[in-house]
Amino acid sequence: MPEDEDSMVVERPDDIEVPPPSEPYTLIEPFEFFNDSSGISKKCLIILNQSIRDMNLRRLWPNTRLHICADGGANQLYDYFEDEDERSKFVPDFITGDCDSVTNEIKQYYISKGTVVIPQYSQYSTDLTKSLMLTKIYFHSETLRSKLYEGIESDNGLSELGQSLEASGATPVYVYMLGGIGGRFDQTIHSINQLYKLNQSDPHLQIFFVSHSDMIFLIKKGLNYIQYERKSLFNTSRKAPICGLLPLSNTPITLNTHGLKYDVINWTSSMIGNVSSSNGICGTNGFIVNATDDIVMNASIDHY
Amino acid sequence: MPEDEDSMVVERPDDIEVPPPSEPYTLIEPFEFFNDSSGISKKCLIILNQSIRDMNLRRLWPNTRLHICADGGANQLYDYFEDEDERSKFVPDFITGDCDSVTNEIKQYYISKGTVVIPQYSQYSTDLTKSLMLTKIYFHSETLRSKLYEGIESDNGLSELGQSLEASGATPVYVYMLGGIGGRFDQTIHSINQLYKLNQSDPHLQIFFVSHSDMIFLIKKGLNYIQYERKSLFNTSRKAPICGLLPLSNTPITLNTHGLKYDVINWTSSMIGNVSSSNGICGTNGFIVNATDDIVMNASIDHY
């Protein structure tokens, strides 16, 4: 792929101040999850069936209002705690999915603590998409939310209930997914696929995947400002936390950034050409990404 | 994305016999790595800096001729063994990379056992690409191979030596990479980026990434037959090992398959549309993928 003649890469110091753009932009705040003082009103934590052993659940759990285990995610949550006293303080609101992974003992344990189990046996969607549908319904209105406690048809009831919802005008919901990236590779790519698709169908759902090493989210087509209180909120081990801009949709993307270790100017990125990996975040409170199409970003975090 | 009208998904039994196509095809044998009786002449194992703890190195090592540690991959290899007697039987031929991760003690240990260290300090390529350049040179000719032992310029010498090589006419080299997929997400995507790019620049290098759970490789544009002796060679836990076809390049891809759990016919796949994940491998000795462009595949393996 030929580079534009005026394409450039500029190396920055580890800390630079980058104010928000003066033109209209999309505000992205991926690290609010780590900010104990931010509001929790429309924030959801979804635990998928992948080890969460080295994540700091004790810190992250109180920062979200709704807690869902996707099928075997309940096993992961149960096994996370060794102490029964502590375990009983982290009870999910819901367990959903096709329930072929959650053990009966663990399901009964959480039911006894007040968890509502919503089995959805349909094989035409995944535990991840079922959990997201539940999230949409829960935050849509009090009326719809109450239906979740009245019994949902166990094959595909959530999806049928959710089909009628209009995404337009909905206020933003922050969804943090533990697991989903870093395990079986087709599951990882299914997660990224959902990230792109949900941005089309339900742009008010702001999805953040949290892996052992990264926060993974979507940068929107156009001008974006990624904002945070301070970098040490999500990464204490590096002055310029490592990041990447990953063109995983089906088109080459031209990028302009301000606030990264290797800022790019008129730089075309594609999976069969250039990809900006092993980059770094230098902006002290935020950085700018201008992209000609939606692009996936990862930022390395530590679960301190 | 609108589907073709004649697009179909057909469910198959777990075991079906799928003979090779009668028309010309690309033969792909990703699981030869597990086949102790296959030849080792042009096979290389590259260990990257990511945990290999749950992989069966003892089984895989003897199936490859050349062994390279990419920088901190040497730490991973060293730490893999608890018993010194055993450790000393798994000595890599080379350690290369910018050598900012391998500890001095471990470097000295392997040097004392006969490993050749080729530092390459350039930051314009990664430890992964440096290791691949070394592989290319090693298998190109006896003359070039001997140069590797005579001292290589320590900034970018490998790349300079390799630039002159012509890929055309070269016989296939099988490269198995441990690590590279499943850790930091921008590294994972860098690995996939290399998979696509190397297929253009060096199609004789057949790259297979081996993660804790998967084998990840490229299916080529056109008709492919993916062949193996038996499925239990790479996966003992499932009759139809889970797999995915992952359209991570820059174009939607139309797929036709024969031998998967959910075979697709005239099915368009793209990262912003349909992706075949959680599929399964049913062909007892092989299956067919016909694709309108290169596409990444993963197959779940177990490290028994």
Side-chain angles (χ1 to χ4, degrees), chain A:
Chain A
M1 188 151 315
E3 299 245 4
D4 291 334
E5 274 179 37
D6 55 352
S7 165
M8 268 173 72
V9 177
V10 180
E11 190 170 346
R12 306 283 185 200
D14 283 350
D15 285 306
I16 55 172
E17 267 189 55
V18 180
S22 49
E23 293 143 77
Y25 60 87
T26 300
L27 177 67
I28 302 180
E29 298 175 289
F31 310 113
E32 280 301 282
F33 192 33
F34 296 96
N35 197 348
D36 303 341
S37 59
S38 82
I40 64 160
S41 61
K42 288 212 165 184
K43 288 186 177 167
C44 172
L45 181 66
I46 297 177
I47 302 179
L48 300 168
N49 191 9
Q50 206 172 297
S51 174
I52 52 173
R53 183 62 54 195
D54 59 358
M55 299 187 183
N56 193 345
L57 204 62
R58 293 172 184 86
R59 180 181 166 216
L60 301 175
W61 183 283
N63 292 351
T64 45
R65 169 167 181 173
L66 174 66
H67 304 98
I68 298 173
C69 290
D71 195 2
N75 303 342
Q76 303 291 347
L77 177 64
Y78 186 94
D79 292 342
Y80 185 83
F81 299 102
E82 284 172 15
D83 176 66
E84 170 50 32
D85 251 21
E86 202 189 14
R87 179 183 291 130
S88 68
K89 291 176 186 133
F90 294 83
V91 175
D93 300 282
F94 297 97
I95 296 174
T96 192
D98 63 2
C99 293
D100 65 348
S101 298
V102 59
T103 70
N104 197 40
E105 292 71 22
I106 288 173
K107 192 164 70 180
Q108 292 308 325
Y109 171 83
Y110 283 121
I111 287 174
S112 79
K113 302 289 180 195
T115 299
V116 175
V117 177
I118 303 181
Q120 292 288 282
Y121 300 117
S122 167
Q123 292 300 310
Y124 289 92
S125 57
T126 61
D127 294 333
L128 185 157
T129 53
K130 288 164 187 168
S131 304
L132 282 169
M133 188 57 84
L134 174 50
T135 306
K136 256 173 76 171
I137 292 167
Y138 182 93
F139 284 116
H140 187 272
S141 68
E142 291 288 338
T143 321
L144 270 177
R145 185 180 302 173
S146 66
K147 287 194 195 294
L148 295 171
Y149 301 92
E150 291 163 8
I152 297 284
E153 187 275 321
S154 66
D155 184 59
N156 199 30
L158 278 180
S159 177
E160 281 156 22
L161 192 58
Q163 290 307 345
S164 58
L165 304 187
E166 301 240 342
S168 61
T171 53
V173 175
Y174 282 68
V175 183
Y176 302 93
M177 302 263 201
L178 304 192
I181 303 268
R184 225 180 59 222
F185 195 56
D186 58 309
Q187 281 181 333
T188 290
I189 298 307
H190 171 67
S191 297
I192 298 295
N193 183 217
Q194 291 302 313
L195 202 53
Y196 281 113
K197 287 171 83 167
L198 283 158
N199 186 45
Q200 297 297 319
S201 63
D202 297 275
H204 71 296
L205 291 182
Q206 303 202 11
I207 314 282
F208 302 94
F209 284 96
V210 184
S211 81
H212 299 289
S213 47
D214 299 286
M215 182 73 89
I216 294 129
F217 51 96
L218 203 67
I219 299 278
K220 312 293 176 83
K221 179 179 177 168
L223 191 60
N224 298 265
Y225 186 61
I226 296 86
Q227 184 172 268
Y228 35 85
E229 211 174 86
R230 59 186 193 283
K231 287 185 273 183
S232 61
L233 194 65
F234 58 96
N235 196 314
T236 56
S237 60
R238 274 183 181 261
K239 276 178 131 184
I242 297 178
C243 70
L245 284 162
L246 312 168
L248 295 166
S249 69
N250 292 117
T251 180
I253 296 177
T254 302
L255 290 169
N256 281 278
T257 68
H258 185 202
L260 300 184
K261 187 72 196 168
Y262 302 97
D263 267 330
V264 294
I265 291 139
N266 291 333
W267 197 76
T268 299
S269 179
S270 103
M271 283 300 288
I272 54 173
N274 291 320
V275 172
S276 178
S277 60
S278 299
N279 207 329
I281 295 176
C282 296
T284 47
N285 313 101
F287 58 90
I288 294 168
V289 179
N290 200 340
T292 54
D293 205 348
D294 299 341
I295 187 165
V296 174
M297 178 159 205
N298 76 308
S300 65
I301 58 172
D302 45 23
H303 291 274
Y304 64 92

Side-chain angles (χ1 to χ4, degrees), chain A residues 1 181 184-196 245-253 269-275 295-296, chain B residues 180-181 185 187-197 209 216-219 244-255 268-277 291 293-298:
Chain A
M1 188 151 315
I181 303 268
R184 225 180 59 222
F185 195 56
D186 58 309
Q187 281 181 333
T188 290
I189 298 307
H190 171 67
S191 297
I192 298 295
N193 183 217
Q194 291 302 313
L195 202 53
Y196 281 113
L245 284 162
L246 312 168
L248 295 166
S249 69
N250 292 117
T251 180
I253 296 177
S269 179
S270 103
M271 283 300 288
I272 54 173
N274 291 320
V275 172
I295 187 165
V296 174
Chain B
I181 302 268
F185 194 56
Q187 281 181 333
T188 290
I189 300 307
H190 171 68
S191 297
I192 298 296
N193 184 215
Q194 291 302 313
L195 203 52
Y196 282 113
K197 286 170 81 166
F209 284 95
I216 294 129
F217 51 96
L218 202 68
I219 300 278
L245 284 162
L246 312 169
L248 295 167
S249 70
N250 292 117
T251 179
I253 296 177
T254 302
L255 290 168
T268 299
S269 179
S270 103
M271 283 299 289
I272 54 174
N274 291 320
V275 172
S276 179
S277 60
D293 205 347
D294 299 341
I295 187 165
V296 173
M297 178 159 205
N298 75 309

Side-chain angles (χ1 to χ4, degrees), chain B residues 32-101:
Chain B
E32 280 301 284
F33 191 33
F34 296 96
N35 198 347
D36 303 341
S37 59
S38 82
I40 64 160
S41 61
K42 288 212 167 184
K43 288 186 178 168
C44 172
L45 180 66
I46 297 176
I47 302 178
L48 300 168
N49 192 9
Q50 206 172 298
S51 174
I52 52 173
R53 183 63 51 195
D54 59 358
M55 299 188 183
N56 193 345
L57 203 62
R58 294 173 183 85
R59 180 181 167 215
L60 301 174
W61 183 281
N63 293 350
T64 45
R65 169 164 181 174
L66 175 66
H67 303 97
I68 298 174
C69 289
D71 195 1
N75 304 343
Q76 304 290 347
L77 177 64
Y78 186 94
D79 292 342
Y80 185 83
F81 299 101
E82 283 170 16
D83 176 67
E84 169 51 31
D85 251 20
E86 202 188 13
R87 179 183 290 128
S88 68
K89 291 176 187 133
F90 294 83
V91 174
D93 300 281
F94 296 97
I95 296 173
T96 191
D98 62 2
C99 293
D100 64 349
S101 298

Side-chain angles (χ1 to χ4, degrees), chain B residues 1 8 32 48 52 58 62-63 76 106 111 137 139 142 191 197 202 205 210 234 238 266 271 301:
Chain B
M1 188 151 315
M8 269 173 70
E32 280 301 284
L48 300 168
I52 52 173
R58 294 173 183 85
N63 293 350
Q76 304 290 347
I106 289 174
I111 287 174
I137 293 167
F139 284 117
E142 292 288 337
S191 297
K197 286 170 81 166
D202 297 276
L205 292 183
V210 184
F234 59 94
R238 275 183 180 261
N266 291 333
M271 283 299 289
I301 58 172

